[in-house]
Amino acid sequence: MKRFLAVLFIGIFMFSCGTKKRVAQREVERQKREEVVVHETKEEETVIEETNEILTPTIDIPNSNEDYIDMYSAIAQQEMKLYGIPASITLAQGILESGSGKGRLSTEANNHFGIKCHEWTGARIYHDDDESQECFRKYIDAKYSFRDHSLFLTERRRYAGLFDLRKDDYKRWAKGLKAAGYATDKRYPEKLISLIERYELYKFDKFVNTEAQNQETAEIREYVVIKGDTLYSISKRFNLTVQELQQLNGLNTNDIKIGQILNVKPSSKDF
């Protein structure tokens, strides 16, 4: 009898240990599953946060007019190359319309030129202007505001006459904008011109024009001499020295004549 009770006690003890072991094992597995769930949830939250960051508009607020010019002059010059609008005009309008990037439309909507919704289907902001709570376009980045400004002027017939003007004639461009109805302020042209001259914004027009002329000159290989030309003036025009121009054309003197064809760019054989 004692032997039977001993065996029974040992069996009960082993069963109890096995049960506790299985319970402990299940608890460990449950904790692991919870850790995985928590880890996956944190990853999903991170992805959502990153997505929201991507969709958040980029707003840069300049400290001064000079900062504004430094920040956006390259964009204005690029727009001039693509659409023919003087960079000086674009920058002056941006400064005036946006309050140097500090106005509500620019700080909340990246709208630097006060362009209203019209046929716009994108994001928008409502702001008091000529009337209460008018609809204005909202951009994810200020560069799109500059592009929309270029498209606004080039795609509307009332501004077509502006593009017959010289690209460096900022005064006539300023007056032409007012005449075409861009702004109701009677002093709008004077304000633009004042900004352009105070901050020498015309230098950006000159840079773009000079770069375009250099690219055009690079394509020219021959030049026909006209009245008033000298070997020196031609050499300067094509970024050559007089000696290089003489060598290209087999000249021993500086004498040239009207109608004479001169090589102004070395051929591949000269290298």
Side-chain angles (χ1 to χ4, degrees):
M1 184 66 180
K2 290 181 180 180
R3 184 177 181 182
F4 172 77
L5 291 174
V7 172
L8 180 61
F9 178 78
I10 292 171
I12 293 171
F13 178 78
M14 291 180 67
F15 176 81
S16 176
C17 290
T19 301
K20 290 180 179 179
K21 185 176 181 180
R22 286 193 295 273
V23 170
Q25 185 175 0
R26 285 198 296 270
E27 179 64 18
V28 170
E29 290 176 351
R30 184 183 67 79
Q31 290 177 356
K32 287 183 177 180
R33 286 196 299 271
E34 288 179 350
E35 288 175 358
V36 170
V37 171
V38 171
H39 179 67
E40 289 176 348
T41 303
K42 287 182 178 180
E43 287 183 344
E44 290 174 357
E45 290 175 353
T46 300
V47 171
I48 293 172
E49 289 174 358
E50 289 175 352
T51 302
N52 287 337
E53 288 177 1
I54 293 172
L55 296 176
T56 301
T58 301
I59 306 291
D60 294 317
I61 303 177
N63 294 320
S64 63
N65 286 352
E66 289 85 356
D67 284 347
Y68 187 95
I69 294 164
D70 289 341
M71 194 175 293
Y72 297 111
S73 59
I75 296 176
Q77 289 178 90
Q78 180 64 19
E79 294 302 304
M80 180 177 177
K81 293 175 186 177
L82 294 174
Y83 295 95
I85 302 165
S88 61
I89 288 291
T90 299
L91 286 169
Q93 283 191 280
I95 292 172
L96 191 59
E97 299 282 350
S98 73
S100 301
K102 298 183 183 68
R104 178 173 178 259
L105 288 178
S106 54
T107 58
E108 295 184 25
N110 275 319
N111 189 330
H112 285 238
F113 299 93
I115 298 179
K116 297 178 182 179
C117 288
H118 301 295
E119 69 280 3
W120 180 253
T121 58
R124 54 194 63 199
I125 185 173
Y126 294 89
H127 181 75
D128 292 346
D129 192 51
D130 296 327
E131 298 179 8
S132 175
Q133 292 299 288
E134 292 190 80
C135 182
F136 290 84
R137 303 182 183 190
K138 187 175 184 178
Y139 307 94
I140 193 71
D141 191 285
K143 65 183 178 182
Y144 299 116
S145 176
F146 280 76
R147 175 56 51 86
D148 217 11
H149 170 262
S150 298
L151 295 174
F152 187 84
L153 294 182
T154 56
E155 293 178 353
R156 285 165 174 74
R157 292 181 60 185
R158 59 183 170 137
Y159 299 114
L162 293 172
F163 296 90
D164 294 329
L165 304 174
R166 286 175 47 180
K167 294 179 183 178
D168 59 354
D169 193 348
Y170 61 85
K171 292 183 179 181
R172 293 186 66 186
W173 268 85
K175 295 174 182 177
L177 282 168
K178 173 64 176 65
Y182 189 94
T184 56
D185 185 352
K186 294 181 180 180
R187 298 191 63 251
Y188 192 74
E190 289 76 15
K191 291 178 180 179
L192 292 181
I193 293 170
S194 176
L195 285 168
I196 291 170
E197 294 181 344
R198 186 188 315 165
Y199 296 102
E200 300 182 344
L201 302 181
Y202 47 77
K203 64 185 179 183
F204 297 113
D205 302 339
K206 184 177 181 180
F207 179 84
V208 174
N209 287 332
T210 301
E211 189 177 56
Q213 290 171 0
N214 289 339
Q215 291 176 350
E216 183 180 348
T217 300
E219 300 298 323
I220 300 174
R221 292 187 174 275
E222 295 182 338
Y223 176 76
V224 180
V225 178
I226 62 175
K227 185 177 180 180
D229 280 337
T230 64
L231 212 60
Y232 177 78
S233 66
I234 296 171
S235 68
K236 290 300 180 184
R237 179 171 181 175
F238 294 98
N239 296 318
L240 298 167
T241 66
V242 172
Q243 290 74 22
E244 287 173 335
L245 193 55
Q246 287 175 327
Q247 184 178 359
L248 282 172
N249 294 277
L251 301 176
N252 297 320
T253 67
N254 292 343
D255 296 333
I256 53 176
K257 58 184 179 180
I258 295 174
Q260 183 177 353
I261 298 176
L262 297 176
N263 294 319
V264 292
K265 187 173 183 179
S267 65
S268 57
K269 295 179 182 180
D270 296 325
F271 293 97

